[in-house]
Amino acid sequence: MAEPTLLVLGADPPPRLGRLTGRARIQYADDSTLAAQLPLADVLLAWDFTSDAIRLAWPGDGPRPVWVHTASAGVDRLLSPELINSETLVTNARGIFEEPIAEYVASLVLAMAKDLPGTLELQRQRRWRHREGLRVAGSRATVVGAGPIGRAIADTLKALGVTVAVTGRTARPGIHGADQLDRLLTRSDWVICAAPLTESTRGMFDARLFGLMQPSARFINVGRGQLVDENALMEAVSKRWIAGAALDVFESEPLDPQSPLWDVPGLIVSPHMSGDTVGWRDRLGEQFVALYDIWASGEPLPNVVDKKRGYVPMHD
């Protein structure tokens, strides 16, 4: 039996796939060559998960891979109508980013509660100015997004003594439905967005939702930039309709040096790094090789994305 052809999109740095030697014919593509190579591939690894090349190339002529794996939690960059309606399996990197992102969110909550940005700025100015911080224990948070990342965030915040409500598309045990979001926002000290980007969630955090939040509330987005109306957020923070915000993801990345977001007082900007810890690329490569072993054995793959929903559904 001929070795399957594994096509890897992006190789800077390349994934460590040595264990697949003799078991797969590995080829590499970039944005400019993907369309020509796609019909030759049995499996496609979206190693460069920031690329739009798969979504753009998929509608072309010729056969398509039977399995696509993306080295990311979100799949919005690769899903085209043709891929959604095809028989191709899509899997994601569920299991890699949950705990690091939860730790990052917890660090932002603590930093904002204790005004760490203010302390660092006062140190830079060599100014001694005593302030009072906020208690995190006993505060309330709403986590928007009931997938593995949202649940990991909820668990980590609960360990800090925060009362946490998690909202998802539909209500189920331990999860509030989307119809409860407005009510929850009116009483939350922390609002954390960890939702997948779908047509129903695009732009969901707009002026209306920011207007529902308490003046003492703080907003954190570690989901996708397109979930937030950035102009509405800037207005809400600048006019102190909410107490502050932190963005790790943006509508356009990298964030333009001229973007007004950099200069909004009370807004923390970070470069889409919440899930990236030392060795994360190695863990992604190890995960893919393990998934390849399962696929090659003919067993059902885990982490299968419901392409019409745009995420891996939870079954509890």
Side-chain angles (χ1 to χ4, degrees), residues 99-119:
E99 290 184 0
I101 292 176
E103 292 172 356
Y104 198 86
V105 169
S107 74
L108 289 171
V109 167
L110 291 167
M112 288 192 280
K114 308 306 179 184
D115 191 26
L116 183 58
T119 295

Side-chain angles (χ1 to χ4, degrees), residues 299-311:
E299 296 296 318
L301 282 166
N303 293 12
V304 174
V305 173
D306 183 323
K307 293 182 290 183
K308 294 189 182 297
R309 295 187 186 182
Y311 54 87

Side-chain angles (χ1 to χ4, degrees):
M1 181 178 177
E3 295 174 352
T5 297
L6 166 61
L7 183 62
V8 181
L9 173 62
D12 186 23
R16 295 182 179 179
L17 302 176
R19 281 178 49 198
L20 299 184
T21 301
R23 302 176 54 210
R25 183 184 303 106
I26 302 174
Q27 299 180 350
Y28 292 90
D30 58 23
D31 288 7
S32 65
T33 62
L34 178 69
Q37 294 178 263
L38 200 56
L40 307 176
D42 299 294
V43 178
L44 173 61
L45 169 57
W47 188 245
D48 179 5
F49 51 80
T50 67
S51 172
D52 294 315
I54 296 173
R55 187 180 71 250
L56 298 174
W58 198 272
D61 296 329
R64 290 295 180 258
V66 297
W67 170 34
V68 175
H69 176 76
T70 180
S72 62
V75 296
D76 49 278
R77 300 297 292 261
L78 58 88
L79 289 180
S80 66
E82 292 80 5
L83 176 51
I84 291 171
N85 294 318
S86 72
E87 296 298 319
T88 297
L89 283 177
V90 175
T91 57
N92 75 350
R94 175 177 170 178
I96 300 295
F97 298 108
E98 289 87 340
E99 290 184 0
I101 292 176
E103 292 172 356
Y104 198 86
V105 169
S107 74
L108 289 171
V109 167
L110 291 167
M112 288 192 280
K114 308 306 179 184
D115 191 26
L116 183 58
T119 295
L120 295 174
E121 176 58 24
L122 289 168
Q123 179 183 349
R124 188 188 68 80
Q125 298 176 16
R126 297 174 178 263
R127 293 175 58 198
W128 181 280
R129 185 162 69 84
H130 181 268
R131 290 104 66 222
E132 294 178 345
L134 300 173
R135 285 293 304 275
V136 172
S139 63
R140 295 177 177 271
T142 294
V143 177
V144 182
I149 292 174
R151 293 186 182 203
I153 292 169
D155 289 344
T156 302
L157 293 181
K158 288 176 183 177
L160 296 175
V162 181
T163 299
V164 184
V166 179
T167 67
R169 191 173 64 95
T170 56
R172 50 196 185 275
I175 305 297
H176 296 269
D179 59 338
Q180 296 296 306
L181 180 58
D182 286 8
R183 177 182 64 82
L184 292 168
L185 292 184
T186 63
R187 55 190 298 194
S188 294
D189 302 293
W190 312 98
V191 178
I192 298 100
C193 178
L197 178 62
T198 67
E199 288 309 309
S200 64
T201 62
R202 187 180 298 272
M204 67 179 295
F205 280 96
D206 55 11
R208 187 187 74 82
L209 286 191
F210 290 125
L212 291 175
M213 297 180 194
Q214 301 181 97
S216 59
R218 290 167 172 82
F219 174 76
I220 298 171
N221 186 17
V222 290
R224 282 289 185 266
Q226 294 85 351
L227 297 166
V228 176
D229 180 334
E230 292 178 348
N231 289 326
L233 175 63
M234 285 191 290
E235 184 176 26
V237 176
S238 298
K239 295 184 176 179
R240 304 300 290 175
W241 294 342
I242 62 175
L247 299 179
D248 187 55
V249 288
F250 302 87
E251 290 183 25
S252 178
E253 296 182 7
L255 188 63
D256 192 301
Q258 304 306 313
S259 170
L261 288 166
W262 292 104
D263 300 317
V264 177
L267 174 61
I268 297 173
V269 170
S270 60
H272 203 150
M273 59 180 284
S274 61
D276 301 345
T277 54
V278 174
W280 66 284
R281 289 186 178 87
D282 289 341
R283 290 189 287 275
L284 285 170
E286 291 165 2
Q287 180 188 53
F288 175 73
V289 171
L291 290 174
Y292 188 92
D293 290 342
I294 295 171
W295 176 77
S297 72
E299 296 296 318
L301 282 166
N303 293 12
V304 174
V305 173
D306 183 323
K307 293 182 290 183
K308 294 189 182 297
R309 295 187 186 182
Y311 54 87
V312 178
M314 303 291 288
H315 297 294
D316 56 346

